[in-house]
Amino acid sequence: MGIHNGHRDRMRQEFLKGGLESFSDVRTLELLLFFSRPQGDVNPLAHALLAQFGSLSGVLDADPVDLQRVPGVGENTVVLLKLFTALSSKYLASRAKKDVDGSSTQGLWDIFSPYFFGARNEMAFVGCFDSNLKLLGVKQISEGIPNASGINVRSLSYIALSMNATAVVLAHNHPSGILEPSQEDISTTMFLRTHLQPMEIDLYDHVILTDEEIYSLRHNGYFKCFASY
């Protein structure tokens, strides 16, 4: 067994016994790189990636093209790094409880936050609910700034009707970290709520998420201002 194989085995066993709690960012990245670089010393590559992108999150969030500019990073490594955050998001979403109370802001955070894990673009999802505000399912409806022209009412209603939903909640993220709704967010909410009403689909809420917080337009009184309701 070579010196690098012994080092890899020791790191794997350390992880299996204690998780990542005692691992620095460079050792965490080194452990991950074992699976795209099956032989050799990957510690220098881990250092190079952290130096280039500034942090572990910076490496995982980096554009694939930028990653491949780092010497030693091939397609397997790029796929592995991008797969990590994508898989984490799916894992968290799969653990979201379907019996969460959709009428509460905390419940909506529990439902939607996994879908925005690691997202650096603005994205929009719709949550479909029954008459008791129990979750039926979540679907992505756009990527980019959500607005009345970018969100197709017909597609939104089709998703709701296909799940036998009577209520929907629109959710989108603000990667900038600014939690408050823009005027476009407010206009989009009014537009969608007005156009879904004749189909007997209630736009119950529109929530905005950052990495750590959620803002509900309903719970902040905006829905009381809409003339159609």
Side-chain angles (χ1 to χ4, degrees), residues 16-223:
L16 289 175
K17 290 178 181 178
L20 292 174
E21 185 174 352
S22 65
F23 279 62
S24 63
D25 283 357
V26 69
R27 294 184 72 228
T28 299
L29 189 53
E30 185 180 0
L31 179 63
L32 189 59
L33 291 171
F34 288 165
F35 299 94
S36 66
R37 299 281 297 273
Q39 295 181 340
D41 184 5
V42 296
N43 181 270
L45 180 56
H47 278 284
L49 285 165
L50 289 169
Q52 179 66 31
F53 299 107
S55 65
L56 182 59
S57 63
V59 173
L60 296 174
D61 290 339
D63 186 273
V65 174
D66 294 330
L67 285 168
Q68 288 193 296
R69 291 194 179 107
V70 178
V73 174
E75 185 178 39
N76 285 347
T77 295
V78 172
V79 170
L80 178 68
L81 293 174
K82 302 315 295 182
L83 176 63
F84 180 81
T85 49
L87 183 61
S88 297
S89 176
K90 279 190 172 290
Y91 166 75
L92 291 172
S94 73
R95 292 193 63 182
K97 295 181 179 179
K98 290 201 171 185
D99 59 353
V100 171
D101 179 11
S103 67
S104 73
T105 303
Q106 180 60 51
L108 293 176
W109 169 265
D110 292 341
I111 290 168
F112 288 112
S113 59
Y115 292 92
F116 298 106
F117 179 82
R120 290 299 172 262
N121 295 324
E122 200 160 306
M123 305 166 68
F125 290 82
V126 60
C128 295
F129 297 81
D130 66 15
S131 58
N132 295 314
L133 288 178
K134 299 303 181 183
L135 182 65
L136 301 172
V138 177
K139 294 284 187 181
Q140 183 176 347
I141 53 174
S142 74
E143 184 164 355
I145 297 174
N147 52 48
S149 60
I151 297 176
N152 187 293
V153 175
R154 181 176 295 179
S155 297
L156 189 57
S157 61
Y158 175 81
I159 291 171
L161 293 171
S162 69
M163 295 189 188
N164 294 317
T166 57
V168 295
V169 174
L170 181 65
H172 80 278
N173 62 328
H174 280 180
S176 65
I178 298 173
L179 191 62
E180 289 74 17
S182 66
Q183 186 57 52
E184 189 67 49
D185 296 332
I186 297 167
S187 299
T188 297
T189 307
M190 182 168 60
F191 174 88
L192 293 174
R193 200 155 199 252
T194 300
H195 285 75
L196 289 172
Q197 182 185 16
M199 304 176 200
E200 298 185 348
I201 300 170
D202 178 27
L203 179 62
Y204 181 79
D205 204 348
H206 181 177
V207 294
I208 300 164
L209 290 87
T210 63
D211 286 345
E212 298 178 351
E213 296 180 283
I214 184 170
Y215 186 101
S216 162
L217 270 73
R218 168 177 282 276
H219 290 287
N220 280 278
Y222 282 96
F223 280 33

